Amino acid sequence: LFVEGPQSLIVPPSIQEANALALNIQVSAGSDDAEEVVSSGAMNLTSTDLELVNEGGITNQLVGMRFLNLTIPQGATITNAYVEFTVATARSGTLNVTVQGQAADSPATFTTTAFNISSRPRTAASVAWNNVPNWTVAGAKQQTPNLSSIIQEIVNRGGWASGNALVVIITGPASTVWREPDSFNAGAAVAPLLHVEYASFTKMQLLVPGETAAPGTGSGKTGTPSAQTAGTPFTVTVNAVDANWN
């Protein structure tokens, strides 16, 4: 970055390093992970596992998971994300499922009302989790593919704010094959976990004498640059900001 004239500004590499942040949020209540029978809409909030996506290889279902208090700024750049499961029971066979999010700013917990997962609006972004690996060891950890496109769509919403909740929904075709991770009801330590890596800011803001930061405004600053004398040093301020100049 350069200021017009002989003065120059060097941005240290440490700024970029400090910009890389990560969250690990587990499902924290029995009503925050749930199963819904596709044919009837019947909800199950008390099971100790979450069959993906066929109950016992017989009943096709949707699975929803809600994660609380995601302290990600609105508009932050999502660089990586996945859900990590703990294997409840070893299962194998060819399985393809689809992962989406709920298209909402801060969705409510699940209820026993019929169709309480499928009735929720979903993100346009989706991730195909094809050829899900065989789960051969109970207690092992298994992760979805990168879900950053889904999380990005949610945090880009106008009503998103740091500390909001987020829902992930998994669907798939009827099949005799499934995977069986633990739910929160099997124990808090083995509940599904959402891992998100993000950049807390998306651009650099340069303020010269006479200018003042104005977070959340169209230009991000107010004032008029004051005249400076060539060859005379002056102070500039550099802020790391998000898409809304915060």
Side-chain angles (χ1 to χ4, degrees):
L1 296 176
F2 294 91
V3 180
E4 185 177 358
Q7 292 80 18
S8 63
L9 172 70
I10 299 174
V11 180
S14 59
I15 291 179
Q16 291 300 325
E17 294 172 4
N19 189 35
L21 301 172
L23 288 178
N24 288 302
I25 306 291
Q26 284 187 279
V27 170
S28 57
S31 63
D32 280 343
D33 53 21
E35 300 164 302
E36 176 194 317
V37 176
V38 170
S39 59
S40 67
M43 297 290 298
N44 187 346
L45 279 61
T46 60
S47 176
T48 58
D49 52 37
L50 301 168
E51 280 92 344
L52 309 175
V53 287
N54 296 282
E55 180 79 28
I58 299 173
T59 305
N60 189 215
Q61 62 180 19
L62 302 85
V63 168
M65 297 160 288
R66 179 173 177 257
F67 302 93
L68 302 181
N69 193 29
L70 272 74
T71 53
I72 301 174
Q74 195 274 341
T77 299
I78 308 302
T79 57
N80 187 33
Y82 56 81
V83 173
E84 182 176 89
F85 298 103
T86 302
V87 177
T89 304
R91 302 289 179 193
S92 60
T94 302
L95 178 67
N96 301 317
V97 299
T98 299
V99 186
Q100 291 174 282
Q102 181 176 345
D105 298 331
S106 192
T109 194
F110 301 107
T111 72
T112 55
T113 302
F115 300 104
N116 193 245
I117 298 176
S118 60
S119 63
R120 297 175 180 229
R122 296 180 215 167
T123 56
S126 66
V127 172
W129 188 6
N130 292 328
N131 299 310
V132 178
N134 293 333
W135 293 8
T136 58
V137 179
K141 304 297 183 182
Q142 296 287 342
Q143 297 173 356
T144 67
N146 188 348
L147 307 180
S148 58
S149 62
I150 297 170
I151 310 304
Q152 188 69 69
E153 180 178 333
I154 294 171
V155 303
N156 281 351
R157 293 176 60 88
W160 174 266
S162 177
N164 281 9
L166 179 153
V167 162
V168 173
I169 297 172
I170 301 181
T171 61
S175 171
T176 58
V177 176
W178 75 101
R179 297 294 184 270
E180 195 167 331
D182 287 313
S183 73
F184 174 83
N185 293 313
V190 294
L193 176 147
L194 176 64
H195 173 86
V196 182
E197 299 171 21
Y198 66 98
S200 60
F201 62 85
T202 59
K203 52 190 174 184
M204 307 291 286
Q205 178 191 57
L206 179 67
L207 300 174
V208 297
E211 294 180 324
T212 302
T217 63
S219 64
K221 58 185 177 182
T222 60
T224 302
S226 58
Q228 303 297 318
T229 302
T232 301
F234 60 91
T235 300
V236 298
T237 301
V238 178
N239 295 325
V241 296
D242 64 19
N244 297 311
W245 302 103
N246 295 305

